[in-house]
Amino acid sequence: MDSSLILSNILNPPVLFFFLGMLAVFLKSDLEIPQPLPKLFSLYLLLAIGFKGGYEINQSGINSEIALTLIASIVMACGVPIYSFFILRTKLDTYNAAAIAATYGSISAVTFITASSFLTQLGITFGGHMVAALALMESPAIIVGLILVRMFSKKDTDGKFDWGEILREAFLNSSVFLLVGSLIIGILTGQKGWEKLEPFTQNIFYGVLSFFLLDMGLVAAKRIKDLSKTGSFLIAFSLILPVLNAILGILIGKMIGISQGNALLFAVLCASASYIAVPAAMRMTVPQANPSLYVSMALAITFPFNIIVGIPLYMEMIKRLWV
């Protein structure tokens, strides 16, 4: 792999702030981001990336490549938790296997945003429709995970799931709602809307992303102590499955003929794991599963791996395939 890609990614200021957050915990600094600022940063990033994606779709329109990408996104969002579940069932009970499978079937918006920053730094273009793919891939894994629990749990789970509440949580949770809403507003307002909001959604974007990743570094470092509960099998799963999912995403991207930039974002979506939306839903609907397993796996292993090594690794694979 081209070491310059890794260096370029690591020397990206937001990624360096992630390291700074981790270092603060390791050195026992009293650095912290006061609540509720991390939530505000998260909402801002979703609004900015959603609005930009909507504007770009307004400018480019919908074509066959976009349609195929969105279909592939839904297929991967449903397929990943299914085969992940059966891998995990070799070592875990149904509840923990389903919760972890759902976590890895969904996506990390911040990993996507970091990959977008990486592409911008390299001068590689990507389509705004990838934000729509991001929105489409967050929720299906929650539904698939709960269906797997219902199908494979030895106990009778009828009546335990309020499907109306589950669907509401899956498709109307704050991150999906704001992302989709911002995307639609960007499509509807087009060039005029972009000119009015560009200073807000673009000029301060990387500053907010740096603050958010600083907080994520603090949180991830604190979660490392939970890794002792996961065991070597789950640690290996947290590192190997994202790479396999990314390879599958890259091959699908090559098959449907998308650009290198879009292929990287699609691979990152396939490789990332949710540490916000899915864990919140799983805690509510599958209390038998241990949150310290799926949260620490996604946040303390897969997330840092993807933003440090995964993104440049996937880009190198794409460059070799797209020759």
Side-chain angles (χ1 to χ4, degrees):
M1 183 171 65
D2 187 352
S3 60
S4 65
L5 280 177
I6 295 181
L7 187 61
S8 173
N9 190 48
I10 290 176
L11 293 181
N12 192 1
V15 176
L16 287 174
F17 276 104
F18 177 81
F19 286 129
L20 183 64
M22 295 191 76
L23 186 63
V25 174
F26 296 149
L27 297 180
K28 299 183 179 179
S29 168
D30 62 354
L31 175 66
E32 64 175 350
I33 307 296
Q35 297 294 337
L37 287 179
K39 178 66 173 178
L40 177 62
F41 295 154
S42 175
L43 293 175
Y44 167 81
L45 293 172
L46 291 168
L47 184 152
I49 196 74
F51 185 78
K52 182 181 180 182
Y55 161 70
E56 291 183 0
I57 290 174
N58 174 279
Q59 298 299 297
S60 65
I62 303 293
N63 54 37
S64 58
E65 177 187 330
I66 292 175
L68 286 172
T69 302
L70 297 182
I71 291 169
S73 300
I74 296 172
V75 170
M76 285 298 290
C78 295
V80 170
I82 293 173
Y83 62 71
S84 298
F85 173 79
F86 289 106
I87 294 170
L88 291 160
R89 277 293 285 123
T90 61
K91 297 286 186 179
L92 301 174
D93 61 80
T94 296
Y95 300 112
N96 282 306
I100 296 171
T103 298
Y104 280 82
S106 188
I107 53 85
S108 162
V110 180
T111 309
F112 177 91
I113 293 168
T114 307
S116 303
S117 170
F118 175 74
L119 289 171
T120 300
Q121 190 177 23
L122 293 179
I124 299 174
T125 59
F126 53 91
H129 65 280
M130 295 309 299
V131 180
L134 167 69
L136 285 173
M137 292 181 75
E138 182 163 22
S139 298
I142 297 173
I143 307 302
V144 173
L146 295 176
I147 290 172
L148 289 168
V149 169
R150 191 161 191 158
M151 289 177 62
F152 292 95
S153 174
K154 293 180 180 179
K155 296 181 180 179
D156 180 16
T157 57
D158 289 341
K160 287 189 176 181
F161 296 154
D162 180 348
W163 286 99
E165 180 65 19
I166 292 166
L167 292 172
R168 189 197 67 78
E169 176 66 25
F171 295 104
L172 293 178
N173 69 75
S174 61
S175 57
V176 172
F177 187 81
L178 180 59
L179 189 66
V180 173
S182 301
L183 183 78
I184 292 171
I185 291 170
I187 293 171
L188 293 176
T189 58
Q191 184 65 37
K192 289 184 178 179
W194 177 252
E195 290 172 357
K196 290 178 179 178
L197 278 187
E198 184 182 11
F200 174 70
T201 58
Q202 299 304 304
N203 292 354
I204 65 171
F205 181 86
Y206 289 104
V208 175
L209 178 59
S210 296
F211 258 117
F212 187 75
L213 284 180
L214 174 65
D215 181 67
M216 292 306 302
L218 293 167
V219 176
K222 291 173 184 175
R223 279 283 175 184
I224 286 179
K225 64 182 180 181
D226 292 332
L227 295 183
S228 59
K229 302 175 185 177
T230 62
S232 57
F233 170 76
L234 292 182
I235 291 174
F237 179 92
S238 306
L239 294 171
I240 296 171
L241 187 78
V243 176
L244 295 178
N245 288 342
I247 292 171
L248 183 56
I250 290 168
L251 293 175
I252 292 173
K254 178 66 174 177
M255 187 169 56
I256 62 179
I258 63 179
S259 68
Q260 289 189 25
N262 292 339
L264 177 67
L265 294 180
F266 184 60
V268 165
L269 288 173
C270 295
S272 61
S274 172
Y275 51 81
I276 298 174
V278 175
M282 289 296 113
R283 281 173 177 161
M284 179 182 71
T285 55
V286 190
Q288 300 92 335
N290 183 358
S292 67
L293 294 181
Y294 51 84
V295 175
S296 60
M297 288 170 65
L299 187 53
I301 305 177
T302 302
F303 176 70
F305 172 79
N306 273 326
I307 68 166
I308 298 166
V309 178
I311 291 171
L313 173 64
Y314 311 148
M315 190 72 246
E316 180 67 18
M317 292 178 185
I318 290 165
K319 284 187 172 183
R320 292 178 182 274
L321 264 180
W322 263 249
V323 173

